[in-house]
Amino acid sequence: MSDSTLTAGSRVFDVDAIRADFPILKRKVNGQDLVYLDNAASSQKPSQVIKSLVDYYEQTNSNVHRGVHTLSIEATDAYELARTKVAKFVNAPRSEEVIWTRNTSESLNLVAATWAEANVGEGDNIVITAMEHHSNIVPWQQLAFKKGAELRYLAHNDDGVIDLDGAASVIDSRTKLVSATHMSNVLGTINPIAELAARTHEVGAVILVDAAQSVPHMPVDVQALDADFLCFSGHKMLAPTGIGVLWGKYELLDEMPPYMFGGDMILEVTYEDANWNDLPYKFEAGTPNIADAIATGAAVDYLTELGMDNVWNHEQELTAYAMEQVLSLDNVKVLGPQDPALRGGVISFIHETIHPHDLGTALDQQGIAIRTGHHCAMPLVRSFDVVAAARASFYIYNTKSEVDALVNGISETEGYFSR
Amino acid sequence: MTGGTGALEDMNELYEAIILDHYRSPRNTATVEEPDIDFEVNNPFCGDEFHIQLKVENDAVSQVGITGRGCAISQASASLLAELVKGKSASEVESAVSAVRRLLKGEEITDAEAGILGDIEALGGVRKFPVRIKCALLSWVGLGDALRDHVVK
Ligand SMILES: Cc1ncc(COP(=O)(O)O)c(C=O)c1O
């Protein structure tokens, strides 16, 4: 099978059939059909993924990398196979470059505590965008305080599009690391990672990509992006909570000091000293999250069968439709790129008269789940002179009629509050 | 009551008429000159923030000013707070804060307290919407803390 047929998928992209795979979509919320539009926070799970967890615990459960008995061998094989699937999913050259973590936040902290700890010094700078999730701000702030380094921000325009010309001067000879979100969880903006990577490498720095919002929704190729590190969370891409990924270039990972110490990450321990295991185990101290890693493999299989091109096209179509419908409401303003082609399936909006929190409660009464608040991006949300926004975000199982339900739900809420 | 779909009617206890009235026309929104008590409260999680100022003369609150923004519940709650504290002594305000806290947690309040709270009892509707209790409590908790600091000074 060639790569293009892989991203095109082996299963027909049929939303009704997809919906049938997600048991939770059958439930009612406040007596109404559930309309789940909080996918940027966490996705739902198909029965294939749930079954993989049950199968693991019923058939294979054991510890990995340490036994000669059948169950341990099977568990190890399944755990490592999932790693291989993830590697292939993002086109990583080697599966040893895929490190299991708990989530994107842990992946980012891992790089901050190891690579950046060893490579960022006084007077150096770290560059991030002004639209990062707190998880991709705070570790760098802390590191910068500690090292006497500078934290710089790449600006964006009113439409939430990064100023690449400006980036050329922000990223300079003292830049050690550029860490940027591939897709904003608030604005939906898709950032020009390949261009940022080119500029980053020109100055000899390293680029980390927060792909928490991109890997679940679009084809992502770490080599095409020329990323050095890239991280994402299982729970946003059909997999369970508690499992995430850090991918890094082999040479970088190989040189990095360990993150945590303990079992599995060592090669040899004496009473006096220890030396470190090979990649990826050097970064996986202790018994890992075996079941959820295996289930992440099942999630990757599910997405691969659908084809990430199809996933992306579905969400693009839905986003374009939703932008049009939401913007047809008089009192609603959408944050981020107004051109649907520049964004993913995340639509944050402000209602002129209804506070997001009231809207969230009213939509919940109608069975519609959206996110309200600062979306873990307080500086960004505040930069639009608001303290909170409402956000609808889509995934493979969402439909145009659910977008209609959202728009109708907002209208009903307007009616309710003007009674 | 008119309007609202069936699903939204279930929110009527949360958004009682008196709450919506205070939300739409909050009372005491002018800033206070040379306030004796001046504090900000915010709940970044939901996006509520208020600046609350009180002037105390002859051991009673003579002026109160509340500015800021927030959801209907937090705004109405702050506005109701402003109405209540006017003319009250510090200890009366403290008792009211304590009664509101108990009301919102679903604990007992005495008939006398209910009498003092008046319209504020409408806030009790949040009990059915536990995630919104914080919204209703925000300004009251802030006031309680500020009073404690004020007394210590
Ligand atoms: C862009 C982005 N980065 C990082 C994160 C953090 O992910 P997690 O909470 O899984 O660590 C999120 C999730 O909300 C996100 O949207």
Side-chain angles (χ1 to χ4, degrees):
Chain A
M1 212 188 281
S2 78
D3 277 358
S4 64
T5 51
L6 259 183
T7 51
S10 56
R11 172 180 170 180
V12 178
F13 197 99
D14 172 348
V15 177
D16 288 338
I18 292 170
R19 292 183 68 82
D21 289 335
F22 289 78
I24 208 169
L25 297 179
K26 294 182 188 77
R27 76 160 276 185
K28 303 265 180 200
V29 167
N30 292 318
Q32 314 285 318
D33 289 337
L34 168 65
V35 174
Y36 187 76
L37 300 178
D38 193 18
N39 293 288
S42 201
S43 79
Q44 296 305 343
K45 324 300 176 199
S47 45
Q48 288 85 336
V49 167
I50 299 166
K51 183 169 178 296
S52 131
L53 286 174
V54 173
D55 285 352
Y56 172 75
Y57 285 120
E58 287 186 351
Q59 301 295 331
T60 319
N61 181 53
S62 181
N63 213 326
V64 290
H65 304 140
R66 47 187 85 173
V68 291
H69 64 78
T70 302
L71 293 189
S72 178
I73 293 166
E74 285 180 11
T76 304
D77 286 351
Y79 178 70
E80 292 306 327
L81 179 63
R83 192 193 307 275
T84 311
K85 288 175 181 176
V86 167
K88 197 165 165 201
F89 192 58
V90 295
N91 198 28
R94 306 172 63 162
S95 61
E96 307 95 293
E97 296 172 335
V98 170
I99 292 153
W100 297 113
T101 61
R102 281 189 303 137
N103 48 36
T104 303
S105 303
E106 190 178 50
S107 302
L108 291 162
N109 276 279
L110 192 162
V111 178
T114 58
W115 186 89
E117 179 71 41
N119 288 284
V120 176
E122 198 176 334
D124 290 337
N125 66 68
I126 297 163
V127 177
I128 66 178
T129 79
M131 61 175 89
E132 296 306 321
H133 187 281
H134 295 159
S135 292
N136 198 24
I137 301 176
V138 185
W140 312 122
Q141 275 176 344
Q142 293 301 314
L143 188 85
F145 289 144
K146 186 171 161 193
K147 296 284 184 172
E150 186 192 348
L151 182 59
R152 295 183 173 178
Y153 290 89
L154 292 174
H156 52 260
N157 66 15
D158 291 345
D159 260 5
V161 175
I162 290 234
D163 172 17
L164 264 182
D165 293 337
S169 55
V170 178
I171 301 169
D172 66 13
S173 61
R174 293 306 301 268
T175 302
K176 283 290 170 2
L177 177 77
V178 173
S179 189
T181 187
H182 196 181
M183 179 176 134
S184 163
N185 64 312
V186 177
L187 306 175
T189 313
I190 296 152
N191 284 322
I193 297 299
E195 287 81 355
L196 286 175
R199 173 65 191 152
T200 303
H201 294 145
E202 238 171 63
V203 300
V206 156
I207 185 163
L208 190 167
V209 182
D210 175 352
Q213 296 294 346
S214 61
V215 165
H217 302 283
M218 64 173 85
V220 170
D221 179 332
V222 295
Q223 299 184 63
L225 292 173
D226 201 11
D228 296 300
F229 296 109
L230 182 135
C231 46
F232 49 98
S233 297
H235 69 91
K236 294 183 199 285
M237 52 181 287
L238 311 180
T241 53
I243 187 86
V245 169
L246 170 67
W247 168 85
K249 279 187 179 152
Y250 192 92
E251 312 76 65
L252 287 170
L253 293 172
D254 198 37
E255 277 174 20
M256 278 152 56
Y259 178 45
M260 292 205 271
F261 302 92
D264 257 5
M265 57 76 63
I266 45 77
L267 208 54
E268 196 182 1
V269 183
T270 63
Y271 283 122
E272 291 74 32
D273 203 358
N275 54 27
W276 316 137
N277 203 341
D278 295 333
L279 289 177
Y281 312 113
K282 181 171 82 178
F283 293 107
E284 293 180 0
T287 299
N289 187 349
I290 306 164
D292 294 327
I294 294 170
T296 302
V300 165
D301 285 343
Y302 191 96
L303 289 168
T304 305
E305 277 174 26
L306 286 177
M308 289 310 290
D309 282 334
N310 296 332
V311 169
W312 178 238
N313 289 339
H314 171 75
E315 289 180 33
Q316 283 287 91
E317 202 181 311
L318 213 51
T319 304
Y321 180 72
M323 290 282 288
E324 188 188 299
Q325 296 301 309
V326 169
L327 287 171
S328 73
L329 296 165
D330 283 341
N331 294 312
V332 172
K333 193 179 110 193
V334 171
L335 305 182
Q338 302 299 301
D339 178 356
L342 299 178
R343 56 151 69 233
V346 164
I347 298 185
S348 293
F349 58 97
I350 314 281
H351 194 284
E352 246 168 59
T353 59
I354 305 172
H355 188 279
H357 218 185
D358 296 313
L359 185 60
T361 295
L363 289 174
D364 182 54
Q365 286 300 308
Q366 303 171 72
I368 305 167
I370 60 158
R371 173 81 190 266
T372 61
H374 56 57
H375 311 293
C376 299
M378 285 170 66
L380 173 65
V381 170
R382 279 178 187 276
S383 76
F384 289 96
D385 197 34
V386 291
V387 280
R391 179 184 74 188
S393 53
F394 308 119
Y395 211 9
I396 48 178
Y397 34 72
N398 291 123
T399 62
K400 285 187 182 167
S401 63
E402 288 181 311
V403 172
D404 294 340
L406 169 69
V407 172
N408 182 55
I410 299 171
S411 301
E412 292 286 346
T413 308
E414 287 173 342
Y416 182 84
F417 281 109
S418 54
R419 77 196 197 276
Chain B
M1 209 170 288
T2 57
T5 63
L8 293 184
E9 301 284 304
D10 288 344
M11 305 195 300
N12 291 350
E13 265 181 77
L14 180 62
Y15 298 110
E16 285 211 40
I18 185 76
I19 301 288
L20 289 183
D21 179 46
H22 275 266
Y23 168 50
R24 293 201 191 101
S25 343
R27 325 291 203 260
N28 299 292
T29 55
T31 49
V32 175
E33 298 296 323
E34 294 175 36
D36 297 297
I37 297 176
D38 189 322
F39 62 97
E40 281 174 20
V41 287
N42 69 80
N43 181 348
F45 178 74
C46 334
D48 301 326
E49 47 187 31
F50 297 99
H51 182 188
I52 302 181
Q53 299 170 304
L54 306 177
K55 196 155 185 66
V56 184
E57 281 165 316
N58 304 323
D59 193 36
V61 175
S62 59
Q63 283 180 58
V64 51
I66 300 193
T67 51
R69 48 191 176 177
C71 65
I73 304 302
S74 64
Q75 289 224 11
S77 180
S79 174
L80 285 160
L81 173 147
E83 276 208 323
L84 178 115
V85 298
K86 257 201 184 165
K88 298 265 191 309
S89 71
S91 67
E92 285 172 324
V93 171
E94 273 182 75
S95 319
V97 171
S98 148
V100 169
R101 278 177 180 268
R102 278 178 283 124
L103 170 77
L104 296 183
K105 283 191 205 149
E107 292 168 17
E108 290 286 308
I109 59 168
T110 64
D111 288 348
E113 285 172 327
I116 292 168
L117 294 189
D119 284 348
I120 293 170
E121 262 203 285
L123 282 175
V126 297
R127 289 190 306 252
K128 270 197 173 172
F129 296 81
V131 294
R132 305 302 299 273
I133 292 176
K134 260 193 181 165
C135 312
L137 265 178
L138 182 64
S139 50
W140 296 92
V141 169
L143 180 61
D145 292 348
L147 281 177
R148 215 169 302 122
D149 296 347
H150 185 69
V151 172
V152 170
K153 258 192 277 173

